[in-house]
mmCIF file of all heavy atoms in Angstrom:
data_model
loop_
_atom_site.group_PDB
_atom_site.id
_atom_site.type_symbol
_atom_site.label_atom_id
_atom_site.label_comp_id
_atom_site.label_asym_id
_atom_site.label_seq_id
_atom_site.Cartn_x
_atom_site.Cartn_y
_atom_site.Cartn_z
ATOM 1 N N VAL A 212 -35.058 0.694 -22.128
ATOM 2 C CA VAL A 212 -36.010 1.770 -22.395
ATOM 3 C C VAL A 212 -35.246 3.079 -22.562
ATOM 4 O O VAL A 212 -34.201 3.298 -21.942
ATOM 5 C CB VAL A 212 -37.053 1.879 -21.254
ATOM 6 C CG1 VAL A 212 -36.387 2.216 -19.935
ATOM 7 C CG2 VAL A 212 -38.145 2.863 -21.586
ATOM 8 N N THR A 213 -35.761 3.934 -23.447
ATOM 9 C CA THR A 213 -35.110 5.201 -23.721
ATOM 10 C C THR A 213 -35.278 6.172 -22.559
ATOM 11 O O THR A 213 -36.012 5.889 -21.599
ATOM 12 C CB THR A 213 -35.685 5.814 -25.023
ATOM 13 O OG1 THR A 213 -34.876 6.911 -25.414
ATOM 14 C CG2 THR A 213 -37.118 6.267 -24.819
ATOM 15 N N ASP A 214 -34.604 7.311 -22.645
ATOM 16 C CA ASP A 214 -34.646 8.302 -21.568
ATOM 17 C C ASP A 214 -35.972 9.061 -21.610
ATOM 18 O O ASP A 214 -36.064 10.182 -22.128
ATOM 19 C CB ASP A 214 -33.477 9.283 -21.692
ATOM 20 C CG ASP A 214 -32.150 8.636 -21.359
ATOM 21 O OD1 ASP A 214 -32.053 7.988 -20.309
ATOM 22 O OD2 ASP A 214 -31.200 8.779 -22.158
ATOM 23 N N ASP A 215 -36.989 8.440 -21.073
ATOM 24 C CA ASP A 215 -38.321 9.041 -21.013
ATOM 25 C C ASP A 215 -38.940 8.609 -19.685
ATOM 26 O O ASP A 215 -39.131 7.415 -19.443
ATOM 27 C CB ASP A 215 -39.183 8.566 -22.186
ATOM 28 C CG ASP A 215 -40.550 9.226 -22.211
ATOM 29 O OD1 ASP A 215 -41.345 8.948 -21.276
ATOM 30 O OD2 ASP A 215 -40.831 9.997 -23.154
ATOM 31 N N LYS A 216 -39.232 9.571 -18.837
ATOM 32 C CA LYS A 216 -39.710 9.260 -17.495
ATOM 33 C C LYS A 216 -40.960 8.386 -17.520
ATOM 34 O O LYS A 216 -41.076 7.407 -16.762
ATOM 35 C CB LYS A 216 -39.984 10.559 -16.732
ATOM 36 C CG LYS A 216 -40.518 10.338 -15.316
ATOM 37 C CD LYS A 216 -40.753 11.677 -14.618
ATOM 38 C CE LYS A 216 -41.421 11.468 -13.262
ATOM 39 N NZ LYS A 216 -41.672 12.766 -12.582
ATOM 40 N N ASN A 217 -41.903 8.698 -18.391
ATOM 41 C CA ASN A 217 -43.145 7.934 -18.452
ATOM 42 C C ASN A 217 -42.897 6.505 -18.921
ATOM 43 O O ASN A 217 -43.516 5.558 -18.418
ATOM 44 C CB ASN A 217 -44.148 8.633 -19.374
ATOM 45 C CG ASN A 217 -44.650 9.941 -18.795
ATOM 46 O OD1 ASN A 217 -44.704 10.127 -17.579
ATOM 47 N ND2 ASN A 217 -45.003 10.888 -19.667
ATOM 48 N N LEU A 218 -41.983 6.345 -19.885
ATOM 49 C CA LEU A 218 -41.688 4.998 -20.381
ATOM 50 C C LEU A 218 -40.961 4.171 -19.315
ATOM 51 O O LEU A 218 -41.220 2.963 -19.175
ATOM 52 C CB LEU A 218 -40.848 5.087 -21.655
ATOM 53 C CG LEU A 218 -41.559 5.649 -22.897
ATOM 54 C CD1 LEU A 218 -40.585 5.726 -24.066
ATOM 55 C CD2 LEU A 218 -42.773 4.793 -23.257
ATOM 56 N N ILE A 219 -40.054 4.803 -18.591
ATOM 57 C CA ILE A 219 -39.349 4.085 -17.516
ATOM 58 C C ILE A 219 -40.348 3.660 -16.434
ATOM 59 O O ILE A 219 -40.334 2.515 -15.964
ATOM 60 C CB ILE A 219 -38.234 4.967 -16.910
ATOM 61 C CG1 ILE A 219 -37.197 5.326 -17.969
ATOM 62 C CG2 ILE A 219 -37.562 4.239 -15.731
ATOM 63 C CD1 ILE A 219 -36.192 6.376 -17.516
ATOM 64 N N GLN A 220 -41.231 4.593 -16.067
ATOM 65 C CA GLN A 220 -42.250 4.285 -15.066
ATOM 66 C C GLN A 220 -43.129 3.130 -15.525
ATOM 67 O O GLN A 220 -43.421 2.209 -14.749
ATOM 68 C CB GLN A 220 -43.114 5.523 -14.801
ATOM 69 C CG GLN A 220 -44.266 5.272 -13.841
ATOM 70 C CD GLN A 220 -45.184 6.494 -13.718
ATOM 71 O OE1 GLN A 220 -44.805 7.608 -14.072
ATOM 72 N NE2 GLN A 220 -46.387 6.268 -13.210
ATOM 73 N N ALA A 221 -43.541 3.158 -16.792
ATOM 74 C CA ALA A 221 -44.398 2.097 -17.322
ATOM 75 C C ALA A 221 -43.688 0.751 -17.302
ATOM 76 O O ALA A 221 -44.303 -0.286 -17.001
ATOM 77 C CB ALA A 221 -44.833 2.444 -18.745
ATOM 78 N N GLN A 222 -42.383 0.741 -17.588
ATOM 79 C CA GLN A 222 -41.637 -0.515 -17.591
ATOM 80 C C GLN A 222 -41.480 -1.063 -16.173
ATOM 81 O O GLN A 222 -41.518 -2.280 -15.956
ATOM 82 C CB GLN A 222 -40.261 -0.305 -18.220
ATOM 83 C CG GLN A 222 -39.554 -1.588 -18.606
ATOM 84 C CD GLN A 222 -40.339 -2.417 -19.596
ATOM 85 O OE1 GLN A 222 -40.745 -1.925 -20.631
ATOM 86 N NE2 GLN A 222 -40.580 -3.668 -19.266
ATOM 87 N N ILE A 223 -41.319 -0.167 -15.196
ATOM 88 C CA ILE A 223 -41.265 -0.599 -13.795
ATOM 89 C C ILE A 223 -42.583 -1.247 -13.401
ATOM 90 O O ILE A 223 -42.616 -2.327 -12.785
ATOM 91 C CB ILE A 223 -40.950 0.605 -12.876
ATOM 92 C CG1 ILE A 223 -39.515 1.101 -13.112
ATOM 93 C CG2 ILE A 223 -41.152 0.230 -11.404
ATOM 94 C CD1 ILE A 223 -39.208 2.416 -12.422
ATOM 95 N N THR A 224 -43.678 -0.608 -13.749
ATOM 96 C CA THR A 224 -45.011 -1.141 -13.438
ATOM 97 C C THR A 224 -45.219 -2.500 -14.104
ATOM 98 O O THR A 224 -45.764 -3.439 -13.494
ATOM 99 C CB THR A 224 -46.093 -0.151 -13.893
ATOM 100 O OG1 THR A 224 -45.887 1.107 -13.235
ATOM 101 C CG2 THR A 224 -47.482 -0.668 -13.566
ATOM 102 N N ALA A 225 -44.770 -2.633 -15.349
ATOM 103 C CA ALA A 225 -44.919 -3.895 -16.073
ATOM 104 C C ALA A 225 -44.088 -5.009 -15.429
ATOM 105 O O ALA A 225 -44.540 -6.159 -15.327
ATOM 106 C CB ALA A 225 -44.508 -3.704 -17.532
ATOM 107 N N ALA A 226 -42.872 -4.677 -15.003
ATOM 108 C CA ALA A 226 -42.015 -5.674 -14.354
ATOM 109 C C ALA A 226 -42.642 -6.167 -13.053
ATOM 110 O O ALA A 226 -42.629 -7.369 -12.751
ATOM 111 C CB ALA A 226 -40.628 -5.093 -14.097
ATOM 112 N N LYS A 227 -43.195 -5.233 -12.299
ATOM 113 C CA LYS A 227 -43.870 -5.588 -11.049
ATOM 114 C C LYS A 227 -45.066 -6.495 -11.326
ATOM 115 O O LYS A 227 -45.279 -7.521 -10.656
ATOM 116 C CB LYS A 227 -44.308 -4.308 -10.338
ATOM 117 C CG LYS A 227 -45.232 -4.490 -9.150
ATOM 118 C CD LYS A 227 -44.534 -5.040 -7.948
ATOM 119 C CE LYS A 227 -45.455 -4.933 -6.730
ATOM 120 N NZ LYS A 227 -45.068 -5.839 -5.654
ATOM 121 N N ALA A 228 -45.863 -6.156 -12.341
ATOM 122 C CA ALA A 228 -47.044 -6.949 -12.686
ATOM 123 C C ALA A 228 -46.667 -8.337 -13.179
ATOM 124 O O ALA A 228 -47.434 -9.299 -13.005
ATOM 125 C CB ALA A 228 -47.867 -6.217 -13.747
ATOM 126 N N ALA A 229 -45.474 -8.454 -13.776
ATOM 127 C CA ALA A 229 -45.025 -9.747 -14.297
ATOM 128 C C ALA A 229 -44.455 -10.652 -13.205
ATOM 129 O O ALA A 229 -44.035 -11.777 -13.488
ATOM 130 C CB ALA A 229 -43.972 -9.523 -15.382
ATOM 131 N N GLY A 230 -44.425 -10.159 -11.974
ATOM 132 C CA GLY A 230 -44.001 -10.999 -10.847
ATOM 133 C C GLY A 230 -42.580 -10.815 -10.398
ATOM 134 O O GLY A 230 -42.054 -11.651 -9.639
ATOM 135 N N ALA A 231 -41.941 -9.727 -10.798
ATOM 136 C CA ALA A 231 -40.570 -9.492 -10.344
ATOM 137 C C ALA A 231 -40.533 -9.346 -8.826
ATOM 138 O O ALA A 231 -41.364 -8.652 -8.234
ATOM 139 C CB ALA A 231 -40.001 -8.244 -10.999
ATOM 140 N N GLU A 232 -39.565 -10.004 -8.213
ATOM 141 C CA GLU A 232 -39.383 -9.920 -6.758
ATOM 142 C C GLU A 232 -38.281 -8.928 -6.389
ATOM 143 O O GLU A 232 -38.150 -8.548 -5.233
ATOM 144 C CB GLU A 232 -39.049 -11.306 -6.210
ATOM 145 C CG GLU A 232 -40.176 -12.309 -6.418
ATOM 146 C CD GLU A 232 -39.774 -13.732 -6.117
ATOM 147 O OE1 GLU A 232 -38.574 -14.078 -6.281
ATOM 148 O OE2 GLU A 232 -40.650 -14.525 -5.728
ATOM 149 N N LEU A 233 -37.499 -8.534 -7.362
ATOM 150 C CA LEU A 233 -36.457 -7.522 -7.203
ATOM 151 C C LEU A 233 -36.313 -6.808 -8.541
ATOM 152 O O LEU A 233 -36.190 -7.468 -9.581
ATOM 153 C CB LEU A 233 -35.128 -8.146 -6.785
ATOM 154 C CG LEU A 233 -33.886 -7.247 -6.815
ATOM 155 C CD1 LEU A 233 -34.043 -6.050 -5.881
ATOM 156 C CD2 LEU A 233 -32.636 -8.041 -6.454
ATOM 157 N N ILE A 234 -36.371 -5.477 -8.517
ATOM 158 C CA ILE A 234 -36.282 -4.695 -9.749
ATOM 159 C C ILE A 234 -35.012 -3.844 -9.702
ATOM 160 O O ILE A 234 -34.807 -3.072 -8.762
ATOM 161 C CB ILE A 234 -37.517 -3.794 -9.926
ATOM 162 C CG1 ILE A 234 -38.799 -4.643 -9.971
ATOM 163 C CG2 ILE A 234 -37.402 -2.963 -11.205
ATOM 164 C CD1 ILE A 234 -40.079 -3.833 -9.963
ATOM 165 N N LEU A 235 -34.178 -4.019 -10.714
ATOM 166 C CA LEU A 235 -32.944 -3.257 -10.835
ATOM 167 C C LEU A 235 -33.096 -2.307 -12.018
ATOM 168 O O LEU A 235 -33.273 -2.749 -13.158
ATOM 169 C CB LEU A 235 -31.753 -4.191 -11.070
ATOM 170 C CG LEU A 235 -31.566 -5.338 -10.064
ATOM 171 C CD1 LEU A 235 -30.400 -6.222 -10.486
ATOM 172 C CD2 LEU A 235 -31.357 -4.799 -8.660
ATOM 173 N N VAL A 236 -33.036 -1.009 -11.738
ATOM 174 C CA VAL A 236 -33.133 -0.006 -12.786
ATOM 175 C C VAL A 236 -31.754 0.623 -12.931
ATOM 176 O O VAL A 236 -31.234 1.210 -11.976
ATOM 177 C CB VAL A 236 -34.195 1.061 -12.459
ATOM 178 C CG1 VAL A 236 -34.447 1.946 -13.683
ATOM 179 C CG2 VAL A 236 -35.505 0.409 -12.021
ATOM 180 N N THR A 237 -31.171 0.484 -14.111
ATOM 181 C CA THR A 237 -29.775 0.875 -14.280
ATOM 182 C C THR A 237 -29.648 2.122 -15.127
ATOM 183 O O THR A 237 -30.374 2.320 -16.103
ATOM 184 C CB THR A 237 -28.971 -0.258 -14.936
ATOM 185 O OG1 THR A 237 -29.363 -0.383 -16.303
ATOM 186 C CG2 THR A 237 -29.210 -1.589 -14.229
ATOM 187 N N GLY A 238 -28.701 2.964 -14.735
ATOM 188 C CA GLY A 238 -28.399 4.163 -15.491
ATOM 189 C C GLY A 238 -29.337 5.312 -15.172
ATOM 190 O O GLY A 238 -30.371 5.150 -14.527
ATOM 191 N N GLY A 239 -28.955 6.510 -15.614
ATOM 192 C CA GLY A 239 -29.794 7.688 -15.414
ATOM 193 C C GLY A 239 -29.949 8.096 -13.967
ATOM 194 O O GLY A 239 -30.961 8.669 -13.568
ATOM 195 N N MET A 240 -28.918 7.855 -13.163
ATOM 196 C CA MET A 240 -29.028 8.098 -11.725
ATOM 197 C C MET A 240 -28.336 9.381 -11.278
ATOM 198 O O MET A 240 -28.358 9.723 -10.106
ATOM 199 C CB MET A 240 -28.424 6.920 -10.953
ATOM 200 C CG MET A 240 -29.224 5.631 -11.050
ATOM 201 S SD MET A 240 -30.885 5.803 -10.387
ATOM 202 C CE MET A 240 -30.504 6.231 -8.693
ATOM 203 N N SER A 241 -27.719 10.110 -12.198
ATOM 204 C CA SER A 241 -26.983 11.310 -11.822
ATOM 205 C C SER A 241 -27.918 12.513 -11.816
ATOM 206 O O SER A 241 -29.141 12.379 -11.774
ATOM 207 C CB SER A 241 -25.816 11.515 -12.791
ATOM 208 O OG SER A 241 -24.973 12.549 -12.333
ATOM 209 N N VAL A 242 -27.340 13.710 -11.853
ATOM 210 C CA VAL A 242 -28.144 14.939 -11.769
ATOM 211 C C VAL A 242 -28.190 15.670 -13.102
ATOM 212 O O VAL A 242 -28.638 16.807 -13.175
ATOM 213 C CB VAL A 242 -27.577 15.876 -10.672
ATOM 214 C CG1 VAL A 242 -27.764 15.262 -9.309
ATOM 215 C CG2 VAL A 242 -26.090 16.170 -10.920
ATOM 216 N N ASP A 243 -27.746 14.991 -14.160
ATOM 217 C CA ASP A 243 -27.809 15.599 -15.485
ATOM 218 C C ASP A 243 -29.261 15.717 -15.945
ATOM 219 O O ASP A 243 -30.126 14.939 -15.497
ATOM 220 C CB ASP A 243 -27.019 14.764 -16.495
ATOM 221 C CG ASP A 243 -25.528 14.739 -16.171
ATOM 222 O OD1 ASP A 243 -25.081 15.654 -15.453
ATOM 223 O OD2 ASP A 243 -24.836 13.812 -16.608
ATOM 224 N N PRO A 244 -29.573 16.636 -16.876
ATOM 225 C CA PRO A 244 -30.962 16.822 -17.329
ATOM 226 C C PRO A 244 -31.595 15.559 -17.909
ATOM 227 O O PRO A 244 -32.820 15.381 -17.808
ATOM 228 C CB PRO A 244 -30.829 17.921 -18.399
ATOM 229 C CG PRO A 244 -29.588 18.653 -18.048
ATOM 230 C CD PRO A 244 -28.654 17.636 -17.469
ATOM 231 N N ASP A 245 -30.782 14.676 -18.531
ATOM 232 C CA ASP A 245 -31.326 13.466 -19.144
ATOM 233 C C ASP A 245 -31.418 12.290 -18.173
ATOM 234 O O ASP A 245 -31.844 11.200 -18.567
ATOM 235 C CB ASP A 245 -30.458 13.058 -20.338
ATOM 236 C CG ASP A 245 -30.580 14.034 -21.494
ATOM 237 O OD1 ASP A 245 -31.685 14.585 -21.672
ATOM 238 O OD2 ASP A 245 -29.575 14.254 -22.190
ATOM 239 N N ASP A 246 -31.016 12.474 -16.937
ATOM 240 C CA ASP A 246 -31.036 11.396 -15.951
ATOM 241 C C ASP A 246 -32.368 11.435 -15.205
ATOM 242 O O ASP A 246 -32.565 12.245 -14.297
ATOM 243 C CB ASP A 246 -29.861 11.528 -14.984
ATOM 244 C CG ASP A 246 -28.531 11.199 -15.667
ATOM 245 O OD1 ASP A 246 -28.571 10.461 -16.677
ATOM 246 O OD2 ASP A 246 -27.483 11.671 -15.203
ATOM 247 N N LEU A 247 -33.258 10.504 -15.572
ATOM 248 C CA LEU A 247 -34.655 10.570 -15.119
ATOM 249 C C LEU A 247 -35.061 9.387 -14.246
ATOM 250 O O LEU A 247 -36.207 9.308 -13.830
ATOM 251 C CB LEU A 247 -35.571 10.615 -16.357
ATOM 252 C CG LEU A 247 -35.250 11.713 -17.379
ATOM 253 C CD1 LEU A 247 -36.094 11.520 -18.624
ATOM 254 C CD2 LEU A 247 -35.466 13.083 -16.774
ATOM 255 N N THR A 248 -34.135 8.486 -13.981
ATOM 256 C CA THR A 248 -34.497 7.247 -13.291
ATOM 257 C C THR A 248 -35.058 7.464 -11.887
ATOM 258 O O THR A 248 -36.101 6.883 -11.550
ATOM 259 C CB THR A 248 -33.285 6.293 -13.252
ATOM 260 O OG1 THR A 248 -32.890 6.004 -14.590
ATOM 261 C CG2 THR A 248 -33.633 4.998 -12.542
ATOM 262 N N PRO A 249 -34.443 8.273 -11.024
ATOM 263 C CA PRO A 249 -35.014 8.437 -9.674
ATOM 264 C C PRO A 249 -36.454 8.953 -9.706
ATOM 265 O O PRO A 249 -37.304 8.467 -8.950
ATOM 266 C CB PRO A 249 -34.067 9.448 -9.017
ATOM 267 C CG PRO A 249 -32.776 9.291 -9.747
ATOM 268 C CD PRO A 249 -33.163 9.010 -11.164
ATOM 269 N N GLY A 250 -36.733 9.916 -10.572
ATOM 270 C CA GLY A 250 -38.091 10.440 -10.663
ATOM 271 C C GLY A 250 -39.065 9.410 -11.155
ATOM 272 O O GLY A 250 -40.225 9.341 -10.681
ATOM 273 N N ALA A 251 -38.656 8.552 -12.092
ATOM 274 C CA ALA A 251 -39.532 7.500 -12.610
ATOM 275 C C ALA A 251 -39.825 6.455 -11.537
ATOM 276 O O ALA A 251 -40.954 5.952 -11.437
ATOM 277 C CB ALA A 251 -38.890 6.855 -13.832
ATOM 278 N N ILE A 252 -38.823 6.113 -10.749
ATOM 279 C CA ILE A 252 -39.028 5.136 -9.664
ATOM 280 C C ILE A 252 -40.034 5.688 -8.652
ATOM 281 O O ILE A 252 -40.952 4.980 -8.210
ATOM 282 C CB ILE A 252 -37.681 4.796 -8.988
ATOM 283 C CG1 ILE A 252 -36.783 4.023 -9.954
ATOM 284 C CG2 ILE A 252 -37.907 3.988 -7.705
ATOM 285 C CD1 ILE A 252 -35.376 3.780 -9.436
ATOM 286 N N LYS A 253 -39.859 6.931 -8.299
ATOM 287 C CA LYS A 253 -40.789 7.558 -7.354
ATOM 288 C C LYS A 253 -42.193 7.651 -7.945
ATOM 289 O O LYS A 253 -43.193 7.370 -7.258
ATOM 290 C CB LYS A 253 -40.286 8.943 -6.958
ATOM 291 C CG LYS A 253 -41.089 9.595 -5.848
ATOM 292 C CD LYS A 253 -40.450 10.901 -5.396
ATOM 293 C CE LYS A 253 -41.236 11.524 -4.245
ATOM 294 N NZ LYS A 253 -40.609 12.802 -3.789
ATOM 295 N N ALA A 254 -42.299 8.026 -9.219
ATOM 296 C CA ALA A 254 -43.603 8.148 -9.868
ATOM 297 C C ALA A 254 -44.315 6.804 -9.967
ATOM 298 O O ALA A 254 -45.553 6.743 -9.998
ATOM 299 C CB ALA A 254 -43.444 8.756 -11.259
ATOM 300 N N ALA A 255 -43.545 5.708 -10.001
ATOM 301 C CA ALA A 255 -44.143 4.374 -10.057
ATOM 302 C C ALA A 255 -44.778 3.971 -8.727
ATOM 303 O O ALA A 255 -45.461 2.940 -8.646
ATOM 304 C CB ALA A 255 -43.085 3.355 -10.469
ATOM 305 N N GLY A 256 -44.544 4.780 -7.692
ATOM 306 C CA GLY A 256 -45.162 4.517 -6.395
ATOM 307 C C GLY A 256 -44.224 3.971 -5.347
ATOM 308 O O GLY A 256 -44.669 3.562 -4.270
ATOM 309 N N ALA A 257 -42.935 3.962 -5.634
ATOM 310 C CA ALA A 257 -41.978 3.395 -4.683
ATOM 311 C C ALA A 257 -41.759 4.319 -3.495
ATOM 312 O O ALA A 257 -41.739 5.546 -3.637
ATOM 313 C CB ALA A 257 -40.642 3.130 -5.369
#
Side-chain angles (χ1 to χ4, degrees):
V212 62
T213 191
D214 289 310
D215 183 293
K216 179 179 174 181
N217 291 332
L218 291 178
I219 299 170
Q220 176 186 342
Q222 195 59 53
I223 292 170
T224 302
K227 170 73 169 160
E232 297 169 331
L233 170 60
I234 301 173
L235 307 176
V236 190
T237 71
M240 291 299 299
S241 189
V242 293
D243 295 339
D245 291 326
D246 289 336
L247 307 172
T248 300
I252 292 173
K253 187 174 182 180

